[in-house]
């Protein structure tokens, strides 16, 4: 029988042994075992982190994002890096990078669960950055980017919500997930707008245009939802003009009513006599495949009779729209108008046609090759 005095002694010894074992186990953990919720003093974070960014949440509370790796390795570049624009001799770091979030004024930061998928940092660097919001109710966005192609980077987006760093998903206009990242041209490829919108710009090698896709941030859902698309010939950001969504909506509304887009007083079925009173003298006239055409600066009006048959009672049969400046792509038309009623190659026009049947009328988009932009649009 063990005397109570010795029993207490052995119990204390057992507890001490257990404490030493746990402490030794913790000290022997692998260096990259930073766990979600681990707290690190601010000064220590500042000294151990390779990158840091200031990020505001939707309430405009400021946080510092520290990016660090316990298993970090260092080397020196022996040649230039064309993607990052780094020179020979610049310092390159690699490791399993994590993020810690430090609220302004706090004594310590907290390791975050959000995965950065970031393994290399070369200094100086510009390809990981913060995009500031345009209004008080919208959080800043942290952009972590990877090489995509010679034209663009793949961008992962993070915001601070409820005191945590959270990754944002990209979804299409119907809410279907596109991906966890999106592409953007290097340097000047991302900007924010009002109403929690962010734009991504890409150069399209096939169509020789700059595509600008606009997303709207939903903080609660952690989503960037596609809100508009637009193709431009110029590299400059668009500050005027109509995007594809509004433009195609206007075409659809006009077709449903059988009217000339932008006009309610010129309709399919209207007589030549009445049409000329509304539109005035055309710039030119000629026969088309199915009848005579009167050509104006921004559109053509087709009739149900050929030139030699025209009378004041001949009627409008079709509107042809010159929308080259809109730079519509078949892909973007399908995004905002859905699946076409029919799509085929038309040997008569030597090109492809997408047809959307809308009540008693239809919109036809015509383009020469599968990857081409749309040449012209007809409503009949």
């Amino acid at each position: 029988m063990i005397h109570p005095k010795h029993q207490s002694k052995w119990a204390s010894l057992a507890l001490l042994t257990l404490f030493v074992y746990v402490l030794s186990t913790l000290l022997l953990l692998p260096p990259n075992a930073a766990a979600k919720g681990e707290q690190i003093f601010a000064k220590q974070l500042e000294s151990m982190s390779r990158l840091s960014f200031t990020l505001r949440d939707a309430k405009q509370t400021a946080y510092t994002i520290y990016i660090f790796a316990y298993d970090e390795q260092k080397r020196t570049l022996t040649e230039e890096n064309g993607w990052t624009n780094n020179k020979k001799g610049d310092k390159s770091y690699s490791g399993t990078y994590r993020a810690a979030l430090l609220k302004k004024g706090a004594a310590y930061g907290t390791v975050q669960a959000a995965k950065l998928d970031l393994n290399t940092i070369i200094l100086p660097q510009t390809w990981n950055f913060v995009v500031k919001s345009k209004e008080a109710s919208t959080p800043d966005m942290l952009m972590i980017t990877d090489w995509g192609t010679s034209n663009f980077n793949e961008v992962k987006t993070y915001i601070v919500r409820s005191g945590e760093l959270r990754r944002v998903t990209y979804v299409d206009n119907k809410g279907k997930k596109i991906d966890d990242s999106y592409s953007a041209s290097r340097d000047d490829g991302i900007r924010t707008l009002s109403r929690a919108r962010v734009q991504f710009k890409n150069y399209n090698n096939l169509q020789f245009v700059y595509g600008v896709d606009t997303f709207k941030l939903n903080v609660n859902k952690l989503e960037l939802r596609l809100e508009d698309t637009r193709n431009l010939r110029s590299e400059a950001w668009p500050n005027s003009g109509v995007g594809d969504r509004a433009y195609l909506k206007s075409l659809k509304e006009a077709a449903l009513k059988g009217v000339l887009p932008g006009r309610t007083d010129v309709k399919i079925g209207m007589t030549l006599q009445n049409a000329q009173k509304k539109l005035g003298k055309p710039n030119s006239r000629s026969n088309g495949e199915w009848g005579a055409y009167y050509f104006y600066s921004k559109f053509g009006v087709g009739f149900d009779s050929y030139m030699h048959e025209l009378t004041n009672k001949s009627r409008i049969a079709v509107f042809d729209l010159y929308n080259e400046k809109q730079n519509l792509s078949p892909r973007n038309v399908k995004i905002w108008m859905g699946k076409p009623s029919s799509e085929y190659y038309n040997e008569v026009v030597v090109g492809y046609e997408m047809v959307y049947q809308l009540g008693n009328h239809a919109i036809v988009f015509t383009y020469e090759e599968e990857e081409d932009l749309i040449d012209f649009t007809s409503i009949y």
Side-chain angles (χ1 to χ4, degrees):
M1 180 178 179
I2 300 177
H3 192 276
K5 178 180 178 181
H6 295 293
Q7 188 177 34
S8 176
K9 177 182 178 180
W10 284 108
S12 297
L13 183 60
L15 286 173
L16 179 62
T17 302
L18 178 62
F19 173 76
V20 171
Y21 172 77
V22 171
L23 181 62
S24 300
T25 302
L26 290 172
L27 292 175
L28 291 174
L29 282 172
N32 61 346
K36 171 192 174 183
E38 177 185 348
Q39 294 178 339
I40 304 174
F41 284 107
K43 288 292 185 182
Q44 185 181 354
L45 272 175
E46 186 175 347
S47 64
M48 67 190 285
S49 297
R50 191 54 53 198
L51 297 175
S52 64
F53 303 94
T54 298
L55 208 63
R56 299 170 300 169
D57 64 13
K59 297 179 180 179
Q60 300 303 290
T61 302
Y63 294 81
T64 301
I65 306 295
Y66 288 101
I67 295 177
F68 67 94
Y70 284 131
D71 59 346
E72 188 176 64
Q73 301 291 318
K74 176 182 176 181
R75 69 181 182 89
T76 301
L77 292 186
T78 58
E79 59 184 7
E80 291 184 357
N81 187 316
W83 170 51
T84 63
N85 293 322
N86 284 100
K87 301 176 181 178
K88 179 181 177 180
D90 286 345
K91 304 303 179 185
S92 176
Y93 303 86
S94 60
T96 308
Y97 286 98
R98 302 289 300 275
L101 192 63
L102 177 70
K103 187 177 181 179
K104 184 177 181 180
Y108 55 83
T110 305
V111 176
Q112 301 296 292
K115 292 183 178 180
L116 300 179
D117 297 327
L118 180 63
N119 301 308
T120 302
I121 297 172
I122 308 174
L123 298 179
Q125 72 93 46
T126 57
W127 60 97
N128 302 307
F129 53 91
V130 171
V131 177
K132 296 292 185 181
S133 67
K134 293 289 186 181
E135 53 209 350
S137 59
T138 304
D140 298 335
M141 301 181 198
L142 173 63
M143 305 296 185
I144 302 294
T145 75
D146 291 321
W147 170 271
T149 71
S150 58
N151 284 342
F152 61 81
N153 289 340
E154 290 293 340
V155 182
K156 294 162 285 188
T157 301
Y158 301 81
I159 63 171
V160 176
R161 190 191 73 176
S162 302
E164 293 185 356
L165 186 68
R166 303 295 297 272
R167 188 163 176 174
V168 177
T169 299
Y170 294 85
V171 300
D172 65 16
N173 56 310
K174 297 179 180 178
K176 182 179 179 181
K177 181 178 178 180
I178 297 173
D179 206 339
D180 289 323
S181 62
Y182 207 72
S183 57
S185 299
R186 294 191 181 86
D187 301 323
D188 186 31
I190 303 174
R191 72 168 181 174
T192 53
L193 302 175
S194 60
R195 296 191 292 110
R197 293 171 298 160
V198 58
Q199 289 185 320
F200 295 81
K201 180 169 59 180
N202 284 286
Y203 183 69
N204 188 318
N205 286 325
L206 295 174
Q207 298 167 342
F208 307 109
V209 292
Y210 291 90
V212 178
D213 292 340
T214 304
F215 288 82
K216 185 176 177 64
L217 176 66
N218 186 317
V219 175
N220 293 329
K221 292 185 177 182
L222 293 171
E223 290 180 348
L224 278 164
R225 183 167 181 155
L226 185 64
E227 190 175 66
D228 208 351
T229 57
R230 189 175 177 190
N231 291 320
L232 304 163
R233 294 293 181 185
S234 170
E235 185 178 2
W237 288 105
N239 290 315
S240 61
V242 179
D244 294 337
R245 181 179 183 177
Y247 180 76
L248 291 168
K249 181 182 178 182
S250 70
L251 293 191
K252 183 177 179 179
E253 290 174 348
L256 283 167
K257 298 175 183 177
V259 299
L260 181 65
R263 303 279 298 258
T264 58
D265 58 341
V266 181
K267 303 179 180 181
I268 292 174
M270 177 180 282
T271 65
L272 170 60
Q273 184 177 29
N274 289 334
Q276 284 197 289
K277 287 180 181 178
K278 302 288 186 180
L279 299 173
K281 184 179 178 180
N283 297 333
S284 62
R285 300 179 297 174
S286 69
N287 277 327
E289 184 69 25
W290 307 111
Y293 271 87
Y294 278 26
F295 298 103
Y296 296 85
S297 60
K298 296 181 179 179
F299 55 87
V301 179
F303 295 92
D304 59 2
S305 305
Y306 290 102
M307 291 292 296
H308 65 281
E309 301 171 329
L310 280 179
T311 69
N312 285 336
K313 294 184 178 180
S314 297
R315 296 185 179 275
I316 295 176
V318 61
F319 299 122
D320 278 354
L321 312 175
Y322 314 146
N323 49 13
E324 296 94 338
K325 291 183 179 180
Q326 193 66 33
N327 298 307
L328 281 173
S329 69
R331 168 188 172 273
N332 289 350
V333 170
K334 291 177 182 177
I335 287 175
W336 302 112
M337 294 192 63
K339 184 179 179 181
S341 305
S342 59
E343 188 174 7
Y344 52 85
Y345 184 81
N346 188 338
E347 293 184 357
V348 175
V349 299
V350 193
Y352 290 87
E353 292 188 338
M354 282 196 310
V355 181
Y356 287 85
Q357 195 68 44
L358 299 165
N360 295 325
H361 303 284
I363 303 178
V364 181
F365 298 96
T366 303
Y367 50 101
E368 189 172 343
E369 301 290 343
E370 289 190 32
E371 299 297 335
D372 281 352
L373 297 176
I374 290 167
D375 295 314
F376 63 91
T377 304
S378 301
I379 296 178
Y380 65 83

